[in-house]
Amino acid sequence: MKHLLLCLIIGLSWQISPAQIFIPTSMMPRAGDTLLTAVDNLPANIRSILSGRNQRWDFAMLEAPYSRSAVWRAAAKGNAAEVFKNATFTAPVDEHTEGYYRIQGNDLILVGAVGPDPLNLNRKSVMRYSPGLLERRYGLRYGDAFQADANLVLTLGENDIPSWFRKKLPVSPDSLRLRVSFDRQYDVDSYGRLIVPGGIFEVLREKRIEIIEMRLEVKVGRRRWQDISRSIKDRDLLRSRKNISYHFYSNETKEPVARVWMNASEKKVLKIEFKPRERENMVQNLANVKPDIYVSPNPAIASVRFEFYNLPPGTYRLSIFNIIGQEEWSKMYTINGNYAEQVDISQLKKGAYLYSLKDERGRTLSTKRLMVIRP
């Protein structure tokens, strides 16, 4: 009865026409805030992201194995506080990266970060953006449009250049310098009502287009820095990148209600970060998320979704074993970070199984139970 009443309330609220909203600066995160999000890395049920006035977007079917909490702290408490003295706050950008932010008028600016660089050349790099990278603008209204850019220069010494990357270079350098430019266009092109697992919200939607250009320079001996961008063997490493994303903001919550990443043609949704139901899933601090694998649904009937989280770059083998240890299914994956894939298990008989993930050295990272049922 309670479930029926809740569905009726949601249905009625979904039909009421949404009004334009305003995102005030009071919604900026502050030291002490904890922002709760979840990520669906395989949002198969989302087909299109319509734009315009009075839109209704239904993301209710999104799912994630756990929710993640990002704690905002004073910059002085960060691990790289001495490097980013002009920052006000520190908070995780993602599982691998610690960001440093400052407030400038109505803008939240990312002044720098510590984590993987754009080419994953070094496991952990200190990156300073000049000027800071505009992460979010407050005081937004429907129809707003603006542009911002930033640059990043990252220098690596001889011992910091990975051997796999050195093989792609036309020379053997003493030092390497990566120059990255970010050009972002922001367009508040829609407003309406959005439903996510965490509730129903009146939102403004900001479309963001980001163009990333990279150049590579080397220094050999006493010679000047040389630009080798056109002579590097793997040209795909330095190709221009176009990132398209949609950001849904509400004046009821400090975290974005949803962030949607699309492919360059805007025909496929790559992943969606969303506001989850509170206390529904296991909550982990974003900075402490350990490499792991999850499966859903469990028990399963015909197919399952395997989700790989926070894995270091490498090759992994996922296997499913029956209760006497015989391998029933396996597949190799090359993964860096998070990944999700739908797997057909209709060939498996009803019963209990184990799924196990091993790295390229054969070390078992995780083994868990999977139940297969049949109608």
Side-chain angles (χ1 to χ4, degrees), residues 107-110 132-137 140-141 143-150 182-189 205-210 245 247 249:
D107 296 341
L108 181 65
I109 304 293
L110 179 64
L133 192 59
L134 176 59
E135 184 58 31
R136 183 171 171 182
R137 174 164 290 176
L140 291 179
R141 297 181 186 275
D144 286 351
F146 46 96
Q147 182 270 344
D149 54 49
F182 302 84
D183 184 355
R184 286 183 174 180
Q185 299 176 13
Y186 312 76
D187 183 11
V188 185
D189 65 350
R205 193 195 83 172
E206 173 194 276
K207 180 178 180 179
R208 186 176 299 185
I209 300 176
E210 178 183 61
S245 56
H247 302 247
Y249 301 129

Side-chain angles (χ1 to χ4, degrees), residues 135-303:
E135 184 58 31
R136 183 171 171 182
R137 174 164 290 176
Y138 294 79
L140 291 179
R141 297 181 186 275
Y142 174 67
D144 286 351
F146 46 96
Q147 182 270 344
D149 54 49
N151 296 285
L152 168 67
V153 178
L154 183 65
T155 302
L156 300 179
E158 183 176 8
N159 296 329
D160 296 324
I161 305 173
S163 57
W164 66 266
F165 190 78
R166 189 179 289 275
K167 295 177 182 179
K168 300 178 182 295
L169 305 177
V171 296
S172 182
D174 298 324
S175 301
L176 182 149
R177 188 160 65 189
L178 176 66
R179 294 185 179 272
V180 188
S181 66
F182 302 84
D183 184 355
R184 286 183 174 180
Q185 299 176 13
Y186 312 76
D187 183 11
V188 185
D189 65 350
S190 307
Y191 68 88
R193 183 163 293 136
L194 171 64
I195 180 172
V196 294
I200 300 176
F201 299 88
E202 307 295 335
V203 295
L204 281 178
R205 193 195 83 172
E206 173 194 276
K207 180 178 180 179
R208 186 176 299 185
I209 300 176
E210 178 183 61
I211 305 296
I212 301 177
E213 304 275 357
M214 290 187 283
R215 290 168 37 216
L216 198 62
E217 300 174 344
V218 296
K219 187 174 179 61
V220 180
R222 296 184 178 180
R223 299 178 183 176
R224 297 180 178 180
W225 287 98
Q226 303 176 54
D227 190 333
I228 61 165
S229 303
R230 295 185 177 181
S231 56
I232 191 169
K233 296 177 182 178
D234 188 350
R235 296 293 299 275
D236 285 341
L237 284 172
L238 298 179
R239 72 185 187 280
S240 297
R241 301 178 187 177
K242 182 179 180 180
N243 299 324
I244 299 176
S245 56
Y246 301 113
H247 302 247
F248 295 83
Y249 301 129
S250 167
N251 54 18
E252 301 176 57
T253 177
K254 289 190 174 184
E255 56 264 79
V257 178
R259 294 197 293 173
V260 181
W261 284 268
M262 309 290 294
N263 66 351
S265 65
E266 298 188 64
K267 294 182 178 180
K268 181 180 180 181
V269 178
L270 302 177
K271 69 175 182 178
I272 300 180
E273 180 186 84
F274 61 95
K275 185 172 177 59
R277 296 183 184 92
E278 294 187 10
R279 305 185 188 90
E280 181 185 64
N281 295 339
M282 172 177 56
V283 177
Q284 298 191 27
N285 188 301
L286 197 56
N288 298 327
V289 174
K290 297 179 180 180
D292 209 343
I293 183 171
Y294 300 88
V295 67
S296 63
N298 193 7
I301 298 176
S303 67

